[in-house]
Amino acid sequence: MYKKTSLFAGLISLMALFTSCVHNGPEFSVTRLRCEFLQDPLGIDITQPRLSWEITAPGRGVMQTAYQVMVASSKENLEKGDYDLWNSGKIISDSSVNVKYAGSPLTSRMRCYWKVNVWLNDRKDSLVSEKAHWSMGLLNVSDWSAKWTGLDSAFSWEDPHAVHTRLSARYFRKDFSAEKKIKKAVVYISGLGIYQLYLDGEKIGKEELSPDPTQYNDRVFYNTFDVTKNISEGKNTIGVILGNGRFFTMRWGPKGIPPIMNFGYPKMLVQLEITHEDGSVQKIVSDSTWKVTAHGPVIANNEYDGEDYNATLEMPGWSKPGFDDSHWLQAQSVSAPCDTVEAQMDPLITVMDSLKPKSVTKMPDGKYLVDMGQNMVGWARIRIGDGKKGDTVTMRFAERLNPDSVLYTANLRSAEATDHYIMKSGKQVWEPHFTYHGFRYVEVSGYPGELTPSDIQGRVVYDNLPTTGHFETSDSVVNQVYHNAYWGIRSNYRGMPTDCPQRDERMGWLGDRAVGSYGESFIFDNNTLYAKWLQDIQDAQLSDGSVPDVAPTYWKVYSDNMTWPGAYVIIANMLYHQFDNLKPIEQHYASMKLWLSYMKDKYMKDGILNKDTYGDWCMPPENPELIHSTDSTRITAGAYLGTVTYYRMLQLMEHFANLLHKPADKSAFEMLGDSVKTAFNKKYLNDTTGAYSNNTATADVLALAYDLVPDSLRSKTFQQIVNTTMDKFHGHISTGLVGAQQLMRTLTRFGRPDLAFRLDTNTTYPSWGYMAKEGATTIWELWNGNTADPAMNSGNHVMLLGDLVVWMYEDLGGI
Ligand code: RAM
């Protein structure tokens, strides 16, 4: 083992989070109380939620020795020590995460107030935590009196079968009157594809693009909001706007574009429950008594092509009482998308950051070119000082520029990435809510007057996952690469991890985020998001066991390979390893087992799994224009990747079987593993040179990383990796996304951290530093992203990070 910290000791100038905790001498405290990993969640539908808390203490070596959880049905009860839901009593345990609620049964709508007492090894008295609460959602189908409501037809101006389908947003409203004094009001809403909720003219919540996308024909999410403050005694109005999101298809798919699954016209399920002071409950629910129109200002929307907004069609007061909706249509009761309506248990998408442009330049043709200085995801918010009613401001978005400073849009493929804003007169500020773009540059045309940097803002939009890790060193290349990784990752959270945010794709490709998710977990609290994605994957699994390459399957890709679906198993392991979250393993174990036996029965012969689709995807090609290499000496064989990954899956399943106390399964996985290992080494290992297969770095790295190499040959195999890297690739990376997932840690663990460090700090092709030197502010899809064919060339993919971020935190940072 090499000494990981000493080599880099001088390099790390600041690990902000960790050093400040130790040196600033914090007080003892118990904070960040979480229920199912969320702080103060509303409307959860898990009847045995898991509770966690964080202890802060001055000094080191402080341990929890015991805890006591107290849960009450009201704030008052908690205050006065009446723990009517649960008092765990003093439990001798160091557990401070995932303590399962074990009190009285939890029922729909219940509010639970809680705190925890903690005993520590170096203090006599217990510490009392801050107080927190969670609330239960609607646990039973019978709790819903709302009906799925929508309008199952197109409006006269809409072409629902156009290749680029962009419906007008649908506006729904319902007047109601709250007769008595209000104690509490809660709304449960699922608005598909995406919704904005209004009460009495005010938007509820700061969320955007919600709910999270799911396998809508299996499961849809609802969100819960406490709206007590938004409702007053007397007349009120509830309004909902529905956009396409991922529900109504964006593409039907001729001309080589795969069709995107279509789940039908937008629809919603809304239930507002008002509890009065006297205890009576009034429910306002979606049904055919609501009114609907599509004659509102959002005249067209979808995520690829953009939003068109006509401010002259605004309907002042549409979500307030007294609005004349007599010309609106009657909404319809429509079919449910599926049987399962479930609380969304990961944070909703939000505007997480705003960027001021680095520059705004007036071009010779009168258009403005805005440079945000950073490739980002979201949209632009624009301020207009003196609008001319009926004139249009057009914003086009792109990641790069052509040499003549015009937007480079070839890599967006068919995504139009354009917002049109038709002005009203006078001062106005606008931003869309029913689309998003991946961009650094915005071309603005039709803007009245001079556009200045303070008139336009980049709104950075993604899942509300707190940034929990900060990393900075004294090396500017390492810092820039980390910066690019950070921006790439936050760019690709859209209620699911996406491959890219800009072109006509934006899909949850499994392979891209296997080990990547682990690196991301050092930076973002991504536990709940990935747990949600595993559910998407399980929902998409076919009954024979086949796991798709994309989940949810908006693109239906079931190509049966090991490396992409393998993310299913790898991510469950990551959630346990990083967050002590065993539930995904429990929940998915049977599905994973089914998938592995399906693959084995269908494709394994004599211990070799000869089935693969993508190879070591996007390894650096020999020619700068190529997307994929055609040089057979650089390509790792599919059967090799299939088998080595199958073996890795068996290792993980053996570990899971052990965790779940399934000894028979554990030995079955172990036995199969042994036979795969024997067959694999027999077929691929050159026992003179230690090289595997055709001796690509990927082949050798994976065999070493997964412990397939006989002890006596390990140093030889490792030397092969060093030789390939140094001699054939002149000290550069030579892997695609599969090999990259183990490369940095393998180089380091087998004795060459200096070489890993070199790969991290290279600025010549191919390297992450090369991307940065060529102006990238995120990570490219291709090592040669600046020269390759635009057909598959996104400037904001994170798959090539491999295990780089893991290495930065674990090896460079020594954590
Ligand atoms: C591309 C995607 C993705 C990759 C697949 C195989 O289209 O962008 O990154 O996983 O192909």
PDB file of all heavy atoms in Angstrom, residues 310-333:
ATOM      1  N   ASN A 310     -46.684  34.130 -24.715  1.00  0.00           N
ATOM      2  CA  ASN A 310     -47.277  35.354 -25.268  1.00  0.00           C
ATOM      3  C   ASN A 310     -47.884  36.162 -24.116  1.00  0.00           C
ATOM      4  O   ASN A 310     -48.975  35.862 -23.625  1.00  0.00           O
ATOM      5  CB  ASN A 310     -48.357  34.968 -26.293  1.00  0.00           C
ATOM      6  CG  ASN A 310     -48.934  36.196 -26.978  1.00  0.00           C
ATOM      7  OD1 ASN A 310     -48.741  37.326 -26.508  1.00  0.00           O
ATOM      8  ND2 ASN A 310     -49.640  35.975 -28.079  1.00  0.00           N
ATOM      9  N   ALA A 311     -47.136  37.199 -23.720  1.00  0.00           N
ATOM     10  CA  ALA A 311     -47.564  37.971 -22.541  1.00  0.00           C
ATOM     11  C   ALA A 311     -48.868  38.725 -22.798  1.00  0.00           C
ATOM     12  O   ALA A 311     -49.571  39.096 -21.861  1.00  0.00           O
ATOM     13  CB  ALA A 311     -46.460  38.940 -22.130  1.00  0.00           C
ATOM     14  N   THR A 312     -49.203  38.920 -24.077  1.00  0.00           N
ATOM     15  CA  THR A 312     -50.461  39.635 -24.355  1.00  0.00           C
ATOM     16  C   THR A 312     -51.667  38.725 -24.058  1.00  0.00           C
ATOM     17  O   THR A 312     -52.795  39.178 -24.027  1.00  0.00           O
ATOM     18  CB  THR A 312     -50.546  40.125 -25.814  1.00  0.00           C
ATOM     19  OG1 THR A 312     -50.675  38.986 -26.668  1.00  0.00           O
ATOM     20  CG2 THR A 312     -49.319  40.927 -26.216  1.00  0.00           C
ATOM     21  N   LEU A 313     -51.381  37.424 -23.881  1.00  0.00           N
ATOM     22  CA  LEU A 313     -52.480  36.501 -23.553  1.00  0.00           C
ATOM     23  C   LEU A 313     -52.594  36.240 -22.050  1.00  0.00           C
ATOM     24  O   LEU A 313     -53.337  35.352 -21.629  1.00  0.00           O
ATOM     25  CB  LEU A 313     -52.282  35.169 -24.287  1.00  0.00           C
ATOM     26  CG  LEU A 313     -52.322  35.218 -25.808  1.00  0.00           C
ATOM     27  CD1 LEU A 313     -52.085  33.817 -26.386  1.00  0.00           C
ATOM     28  CD2 LEU A 313     -53.655  35.768 -26.301  1.00  0.00           C
ATOM     29  N   GLU A 314     -51.803  36.968 -21.282  1.00  0.00           N
ATOM     30  CA  GLU A 314     -51.896  36.757 -19.837  1.00  0.00           C
ATOM     31  C   GLU A 314     -53.329  36.984 -19.381  1.00  0.00           C
ATOM     32  O   GLU A 314     -54.045  37.808 -19.959  1.00  0.00           O
ATOM     33  CB  GLU A 314     -50.936  37.684 -19.086  1.00  0.00           C
ATOM     34  CG  GLU A 314     -49.516  37.136 -19.134  1.00  0.00           C
ATOM     35  CD  GLU A 314     -48.474  38.060 -18.538  1.00  0.00           C
ATOM     36  OE1 GLU A 314     -48.834  39.180 -18.107  1.00  0.00           O
ATOM     37  OE2 GLU A 314     -47.292  37.658 -18.521  1.00  0.00           O
ATOM     38  N   MET A 315     -53.708  36.305 -18.357  1.00  0.00           N
ATOM     39  CA  MET A 315     -55.102  36.350 -17.889  1.00  0.00           C
ATOM     40  C   MET A 315     -55.084  36.851 -16.454  1.00  0.00           C
ATOM     41  O   MET A 315     -55.121  36.038 -15.516  1.00  0.00           O
ATOM     42  CB  MET A 315     -55.712  34.945 -17.970  1.00  0.00           C
ATOM     43  CG  MET A 315     -55.572  34.321 -19.343  1.00  0.00           C
ATOM     44  SD  MET A 315     -56.106  32.582 -19.399  1.00  0.00           S
ATOM     45  CE  MET A 315     -54.816  31.755 -18.489  1.00  0.00           C
ATOM     46  N   PRO A 316     -54.960  38.164 -16.270  1.00  0.00           N
ATOM     47  CA  PRO A 316     -54.820  38.674 -14.909  1.00  0.00           C
ATOM     48  C   PRO A 316     -55.919  38.119 -14.004  1.00  0.00           C
ATOM     49  O   PRO A 316     -57.088  38.092 -14.376  1.00  0.00           O
ATOM     50  CB  PRO A 316     -54.954  40.196 -15.080  1.00  0.00           C
ATOM     51  CG  PRO A 316     -54.632  40.447 -16.516  1.00  0.00           C
ATOM     52  CD  PRO A 316     -55.050  39.227 -17.276  1.00  0.00           C
ATOM     53  N   GLY A 317     -55.511  37.649 -12.867  1.00  0.00           N
ATOM     54  CA  GLY A 317     -56.477  37.154 -11.886  1.00  0.00           C
ATOM     55  C   GLY A 317     -57.037  35.769 -12.176  1.00  0.00           C
ATOM     56  O   GLY A 317     -57.978  35.333 -11.527  1.00  0.00           O
ATOM     57  N   TRP A 318     -56.448  35.042 -13.122  1.00  0.00           N
ATOM     58  CA  TRP A 318     -57.040  33.742 -13.500  1.00  0.00           C
ATOM     59  C   TRP A 318     -57.091  32.758 -12.339  1.00  0.00           C
ATOM     60  O   TRP A 318     -57.970  31.902 -12.296  1.00  0.00           O
ATOM     61  CB  TRP A 318     -56.310  33.125 -14.705  1.00  0.00           C
ATOM     62  CG  TRP A 318     -54.971  32.553 -14.347  1.00  0.00           C
ATOM     63  CD1 TRP A 318     -53.788  33.221 -14.300  1.00  0.00           C
ATOM     64  CD2 TRP A 318     -54.678  31.206 -13.967  1.00  0.00           C
ATOM     65  NE1 TRP A 318     -52.787  32.395 -13.905  1.00  0.00           N
ATOM     66  CE2 TRP A 318     -53.297  31.141 -13.702  1.00  0.00           C
ATOM     67  CE3 TRP A 318     -55.439  30.045 -13.813  1.00  0.00           C
ATOM     68  CZ2 TRP A 318     -52.656  29.975 -13.294  1.00  0.00           C
ATOM     69  CZ3 TRP A 318     -54.809  28.869 -13.404  1.00  0.00           C
ATOM     70  CH2 TRP A 318     -53.431  28.842 -13.151  1.00  0.00           C
ATOM     71  N   SER A 319     -56.152  32.903 -11.393  1.00  0.00           N
ATOM     72  CA  SER A 319     -56.201  31.964 -10.253  1.00  0.00           C
ATOM     73  C   SER A 319     -56.670  32.673  -8.981  1.00  0.00           C
ATOM     74  O   SER A 319     -56.296  32.300  -7.875  1.00  0.00           O
ATOM     75  CB  SER A 319     -54.843  31.301 -10.052  1.00  0.00           C
ATOM     76  OG  SER A 319     -53.868  32.273  -9.744  1.00  0.00           O
ATOM     77  N   LYS A 320     -57.495  33.706  -9.204  1.00  0.00           N
ATOM     78  CA  LYS A 320     -58.086  34.410  -8.055  1.00  0.00           C
ATOM     79  C   LYS A 320     -59.602  34.346  -8.180  1.00  0.00           C
ATOM     80  O   LYS A 320     -60.127  34.183  -9.279  1.00  0.00           O
ATOM     81  CB  LYS A 320     -57.681  35.882  -8.087  1.00  0.00           C
ATOM     82  CG  LYS A 320     -56.266  36.157  -7.624  1.00  0.00           C
ATOM     83  CD  LYS A 320     -56.077  37.648  -7.560  1.00  0.00           C
ATOM     84  CE  LYS A 320     -54.677  38.008  -7.169  1.00  0.00           C
ATOM     85  NZ  LYS A 320     -54.400  39.401  -7.410  1.00  0.00           N
ATOM     86  N   PRO A 321     -60.280  34.547  -7.059  1.00  0.00           N
ATOM     87  CA  PRO A 321     -61.746  34.547  -7.136  1.00  0.00           C
ATOM     88  C   PRO A 321     -62.232  35.700  -8.009  1.00  0.00           C
ATOM     89  O   PRO A 321     -61.552  36.726  -8.137  1.00  0.00           O
ATOM     90  CB  PRO A 321     -62.185  34.778  -5.685  1.00  0.00           C
ATOM     91  CG  PRO A 321     -60.992  34.487  -4.845  1.00  0.00           C
ATOM     92  CD  PRO A 321     -59.794  34.737  -5.678  1.00  0.00           C
ATOM     93  N   GLY A 322     -63.350  35.506  -8.608  1.00  0.00           N
ATOM     94  CA  GLY A 322     -63.973  36.600  -9.356  1.00  0.00           C
ATOM     95  C   GLY A 322     -63.593  36.627 -10.829  1.00  0.00           C
ATOM     96  O   GLY A 322     -64.112  37.432 -11.606  1.00  0.00           O
ATOM     97  N   PHE A 323     -62.708  35.754 -11.259  1.00  0.00           N
ATOM     98  CA  PHE A 323     -62.307  35.733 -12.670  1.00  0.00           C
ATOM     99  C   PHE A 323     -63.439  35.123 -13.510  1.00  0.00           C
ATOM    100  O   PHE A 323     -64.059  34.142 -13.102  1.00  0.00           O
ATOM    101  CB  PHE A 323     -61.032  34.902 -12.800  1.00  0.00           C
ATOM    102  CG  PHE A 323     -60.510  34.786 -14.205  1.00  0.00           C
ATOM    103  CD1 PHE A 323     -59.748  35.807 -14.767  1.00  0.00           C
ATOM    104  CD2 PHE A 323     -60.782  33.644 -14.967  1.00  0.00           C
ATOM    105  CE1 PHE A 323     -59.266  35.685 -16.067  1.00  0.00           C
ATOM    106  CE2 PHE A 323     -60.305  33.532 -16.264  1.00  0.00           C
ATOM    107  CZ  PHE A 323     -59.542  34.561 -16.812  1.00  0.00           C
ATOM    108  N   ASP A 324     -63.664  35.713 -14.656  1.00  0.00           N
ATOM    109  CA  ASP A 324     -64.740  35.214 -15.514  1.00  0.00           C
ATOM    110  C   ASP A 324     -64.214  34.055 -16.376  1.00  0.00           C
ATOM    111  O   ASP A 324     -63.497  34.278 -17.357  1.00  0.00           O
ATOM    112  CB  ASP A 324     -65.246  36.368 -16.393  1.00  0.00           C
ATOM    113  CG  ASP A 324     -66.288  35.875 -17.395  1.00  0.00           C
ATOM    114  OD1 ASP A 324     -66.799  34.738 -17.230  1.00  0.00           O
ATOM    115  OD2 ASP A 324     -66.580  36.634 -18.349  1.00  0.00           O
ATOM    116  N   ASP A 325     -64.562  32.844 -16.026  1.00  0.00           N
ATOM    117  CA  ASP A 325     -64.086  31.692 -16.804  1.00  0.00           C
ATOM    118  C   ASP A 325     -65.211  31.104 -17.659  1.00  0.00           C
ATOM    119  O   ASP A 325     -65.155  29.945 -18.062  1.00  0.00           O
ATOM    120  CB  ASP A 325     -63.453  30.618 -15.887  1.00  0.00           C
ATOM    121  CG  ASP A 325     -64.430  30.046 -14.869  1.00  0.00           C
ATOM    122  OD1 ASP A 325     -65.647  30.269 -15.008  1.00  0.00           O
ATOM    123  OD2 ASP A 325     -63.958  29.361 -13.933  1.00  0.00           O
ATOM    124  N   SER A 326     -66.222  31.924 -17.922  1.00  0.00           N
ATOM    125  CA  SER A 326     -67.379  31.370 -18.633  1.00  0.00           C
ATOM    126  C   SER A 326     -67.002  30.884 -20.042  1.00  0.00           C
ATOM    127  O   SER A 326     -67.633  29.982 -20.572  1.00  0.00           O
ATOM    128  CB  SER A 326     -68.499  32.411 -18.702  1.00  0.00           C
ATOM    129  OG  SER A 326     -67.988  33.594 -19.281  1.00  0.00           O
ATOM    130  N   HIS A 327     -65.936  31.465 -20.635  1.00  0.00           N
ATOM    131  CA  HIS A 327     -65.535  31.010 -21.979  1.00  0.00           C
ATOM    132  C   HIS A 327     -64.543  29.842 -21.896  1.00  0.00           C
ATOM    133  O   HIS A 327     -64.093  29.344 -22.922  1.00  0.00           O
ATOM    134  CB  HIS A 327     -64.924  32.180 -22.752  1.00  0.00           C
ATOM    135  CG  HIS A 327     -63.749  32.791 -22.042  1.00  0.00           C
ATOM    136  ND1 HIS A 327     -63.875  33.492 -20.870  1.00  0.00           N
ATOM    137  CD2 HIS A 327     -62.428  32.776 -22.340  1.00  0.00           C
ATOM    138  CE1 HIS A 327     -62.673  33.903 -20.468  1.00  0.00           C
ATOM    139  NE2 HIS A 327     -61.782  33.468 -21.339  1.00  0.00           N
ATOM    140  N   TRP A 328     -64.156  29.414 -20.705  1.00  0.00           N
ATOM    141  CA  TRP A 328     -63.264  28.251 -20.569  1.00  0.00           C
ATOM    142  C   TRP A 328     -64.082  26.968 -20.785  1.00  0.00           C
ATOM    143  O   TRP A 328     -65.304  26.963 -20.641  1.00  0.00           O
ATOM    144  CB  TRP A 328     -62.640  28.209 -19.175  1.00  0.00           C
ATOM    145  CG  TRP A 328     -61.560  29.228 -18.917  1.00  0.00           C
ATOM    146  CD1 TRP A 328     -61.484  30.492 -19.433  1.00  0.00           C
ATOM    147  CD2 TRP A 328     -60.419  29.078 -18.070  1.00  0.00           C
ATOM    148  NE1 TRP A 328     -60.380  31.141 -18.954  1.00  0.00           N
ATOM    149  CE2 TRP A 328     -59.693  30.290 -18.105  1.00  0.00           C
ATOM    150  CE3 TRP A 328     -59.931  28.050 -17.261  1.00  0.00           C
ATOM    151  CZ2 TRP A 328     -58.518  30.491 -17.387  1.00  0.00           C
ATOM    152  CZ3 TRP A 328     -58.757  28.251 -16.538  1.00  0.00           C
ATOM    153  CH2 TRP A 328     -58.052  29.455 -16.606  1.00  0.00           C
ATOM    154  N   LEU A 329     -63.369  25.899 -21.064  1.00  0.00           N
ATOM    155  CA  LEU A 329     -64.050  24.612 -21.254  1.00  0.00           C
ATOM    156  C   LEU A 329     -64.231  23.912 -19.912  1.00  0.00           C
ATOM    157  O   LEU A 329     -63.577  24.249 -18.924  1.00  0.00           O
ATOM    158  CB  LEU A 329     -63.199  23.697 -22.156  1.00  0.00           C
ATOM    159  CG  LEU A 329     -62.868  24.221 -23.547  1.00  0.00           C
ATOM    160  CD1 LEU A 329     -61.903  23.258 -24.234  1.00  0.00           C
ATOM    161  CD2 LEU A 329     -64.156  24.380 -24.339  1.00  0.00           C
ATOM    162  N   GLN A 330     -65.094  22.920 -19.934  1.00  0.00           N
ATOM    163  CA  GLN A 330     -65.266  22.101 -18.754  1.00  0.00           C
ATOM    164  C   GLN A 330     -64.172  21.031 -18.782  1.00  0.00           C
ATOM    165  O   GLN A 330     -63.944  20.405 -19.825  1.00  0.00           O
ATOM    166  CB  GLN A 330     -66.660  21.455 -18.851  1.00  0.00           C
ATOM    167  CG  GLN A 330     -67.309  21.173 -17.533  1.00  0.00           C
ATOM    168  CD  GLN A 330     -67.544  22.431 -16.695  1.00  0.00           C
ATOM    169  OE1 GLN A 330     -68.073  23.421 -17.231  1.00  0.00           O
ATOM    170  NE2 GLN A 330     -67.132  22.417 -15.448  1.00  0.00           N
ATOM    171  N   ALA A 331     -63.479  20.848 -17.677  1.00  0.00           N
ATOM    172  CA  ALA A 331     -62.455  19.794 -17.630  1.00  0.00           C
ATOM    173  C   ALA A 331     -63.133  18.422 -17.664  1.00  0.00           C
ATOM    174  O   ALA A 331     -64.326  18.311 -17.387  1.00  0.00           O
ATOM    175  CB  ALA A 331     -61.625  19.928 -16.364  1.00  0.00           C
ATOM    176  N   GLN A 332     -62.331  17.410 -18.007  1.00  0.00           N
ATOM    177  CA  GLN A 332     -62.889  16.048 -18.091  1.00  0.00           C
ATOM    178  C   GLN A 332     -62.285  15.153 -17.025  1.00  0.00           C
ATOM    179  O   GLN A 332     -61.113  15.318 -16.665  1.00  0.00           O
ATOM    180  CB  GLN A 332     -62.515  15.402 -19.429  1.00  0.00           C
ATOM    181  CG  GLN A 332     -63.121  16.030 -20.637  1.00  0.00           C
ATOM    182  CD  GLN A 332     -62.476  15.473 -21.917  1.00  0.00           C
ATOM    183  OE1 GLN A 332     -61.414  14.834 -21.878  1.00  0.00           O
ATOM    184  NE2 GLN A 332     -63.128  15.732 -23.038  1.00  0.00           N
ATOM    185  N   SER A 333     -63.049  14.191 -16.606  1.00  0.00           N
ATOM    186  CA  SER A 333     -62.450  13.114 -15.817  1.00  0.00           C
ATOM    187  C   SER A 333     -61.752  12.209 -16.820  1.00  0.00           C
ATOM    188  O   SER A 333     -62.352  11.819 -17.825  1.00  0.00           O
ATOM    189  CB  SER A 333     -63.538  12.312 -15.108  1.00  0.00           C
ATOM    190  OG  SER A 333     -63.833  12.944 -13.902  1.00  0.00           O
TER     191      SER A 333
END
